[in-house]
Amino acid sequence: MKKDTYEEAIEGLEKLLSEKDELKSIAAAKVRRLTAELAGPAEIGAVESDPVKRIQTGFDHFKKEKYEKQIALYWKLAQGQTPKFLVFACSDSRVCPSHVLNFQPGEAFVVRNVANMVPSFDQNKYSGVGAAIEFALLELKVENILVMGHSCCAGIRNLMSVPDDGATRSDFIEGWVSICKAAKATVQKQSSHLSFDDQCTHLEKEAVNISLANLLSYPFVNEAVVKKKTLLLKGAHYDFVKGAFELWDLNSKTSSFLWN
């Protein structure tokens, strides 16, 4: 059986693409993947270890594969944004909400912090969070707020490890995660028979409920939820180990939906 030469393979590909223009973008993506594979781990590693090259290749990919294919969308977004969601998610590099929930540009106004926590209303503390909530509701008119916890959360493990005497080992971390110390007390009371890891899993979800309750301490949130009924609050937990996602309402505090 005759083996294709490089020239014959390229000629065959060009002929196919000349006949089926719609396949060009798919072919381009596959050629890039093949090029990366043929380059070998050494060259790929060199790109990943050079921060400037990593940023450049990342932007190049975005521009070619997303921006240039959705120019109309970006022109529309230049006129303004009308997201339906305000999302609180963890800063953890493994749980980007746009990636997990496939949010497209303009769909979600996102706030990320350690352990996806929402502090209660306080004009003298955590003003960055307060400003984000206020802007999302009063300026952008979002209709949904989602607080998304996740598996293996280091911030939650830190909260679970805070000594009862309040001793701290850092300048900011313990003070921040203590926003949800009431959730820790609940888990310790109800799940003391469980292992530390299992208690942390429970705390990942219970802390979301504390954040949902804290959201109601913001007057503009409370009014939109209770009086005007123009805003829905949802809690969620993303388990990237099992590939599962749980979603629940403000009042139920238990999973109404589970996808895995």
Side-chain angles (χ1 to χ4, degrees):
M1 180 177 178
K2 181 181 177 182
K3 293 184 178 179
D4 285 341
T5 64
Y6 167 79
E7 290 77 11
E8 288 173 330
I10 294 299
E11 183 181 349
L13 177 60
E14 289 178 341
K15 184 176 184 296
L16 174 64
L17 296 181
S18 68
E19 297 171 350
K20 297 186 177 182
D21 190 68
E22 70 275 12
L23 294 178
K24 286 184 177 179
S25 61
I26 299 174
K30 291 188 176 182
V31 168
R32 289 193 189 95
R33 285 198 294 271
L34 177 60
T35 302
E37 290 175 8
L38 294 175
E43 188 167 333
I44 294 172
V47 172
E48 292 179 345
S49 64
D50 185 324
V52 175
K53 286 185 178 179
R54 176 61 187 85
I55 292 169
Q56 180 185 359
T57 56
F59 179 73
D60 286 345
H61 177 80
F62 161 76
K63 188 171 182 179
K64 292 174 183 177
E65 298 302 320
K66 296 185 180 181
Y67 182 82
E68 292 179 352
K69 294 178 180 179
Q70 297 179 294
I71 290 180
L73 169 62
Y74 288 97
W75 274 103
K76 181 180 179 181
L77 292 175
Q79 311 309 312
Q81 58 172 325
T82 54
K84 299 299 183 184
F85 290 87
L86 165 60
V87 180
F88 281 91
C90 187
S91 299
D92 193 304
S93 61
R94 301 166 291 183
V95 292
C96 174
S98 293
H99 183 74
V100 174
L101 299 177
N102 197 33
F103 283 127
Q104 300 305 302
E107 279 195 282
F109 190 73
V110 180
V111 179
R112 298 183 70 175
N113 59 48
V114 173
N116 45 267
M117 292 184 178
V118 181
S120 56
F121 181 87
D122 189 331
Q123 290 180 301
N124 298 315
K125 293 175 66 178
Y126 314 124
S127 58
V129 174
I133 298 171
E134 187 174 35
F135 187 82
L137 264 69
L138 302 187
E139 298 292 331
L140 300 178
K141 312 295 184 184
V142 299
E143 299 172 1
N144 306 274
I145 300 181
L146 174 69
V147 181
M148 188 181 90
H150 70 93
S151 59
C152 306
C153 182
I156 291 297
R157 292 181 74 87
N158 198 290
L159 171 58
M160 203 69 205
S161 303
V162 173
D164 293 334
D165 62 7
T168 60
R169 298 170 295 172
S170 65
D171 293 327
F172 298 103
I173 299 172
E174 286 94 348
W176 171 259
V177 297
S178 292
I179 289 170
C180 290
K181 61 184 179 182
K184 175 185 176 181
T186 298
V187 170
Q188 287 179 322
K189 181 179 180 180
Q190 297 179 352
S191 307
S192 59
H193 61 289
L194 298 178
S195 67
F196 179 82
D197 287 346
D198 287 341
Q199 288 186 53
C200 286
T201 298
H202 282 272
L203 185 54
E204 288 163 0
K205 300 175 184 180
E206 190 58 37
V208 168
N209 290 329
I210 294 296
S211 289
L212 291 174
N214 286 345
L215 278 166
L216 289 175
S217 68
Y218 292 78
F220 33 87
V221 173
N222 195 293
E223 181 181 25
V225 172
V226 179
K227 293 180 63 177
K228 295 182 178 179
K229 300 187 185 304
T230 56
L231 179 68
L232 295 176
L233 304 186
K234 299 279 188 181
H237 183 265
Y238 165 52
D239 187 334
F240 59 79
V241 178
K242 298 178 180 177
F245 192 89
E246 297 178 58
L247 183 69
W248 61 90
D249 294 323
L250 169 66
N251 296 322
S252 66
K253 295 186 178 181
T254 56
S255 299
S256 302
F257 302 95
L258 170 63
W259 299 281
N260 53 25

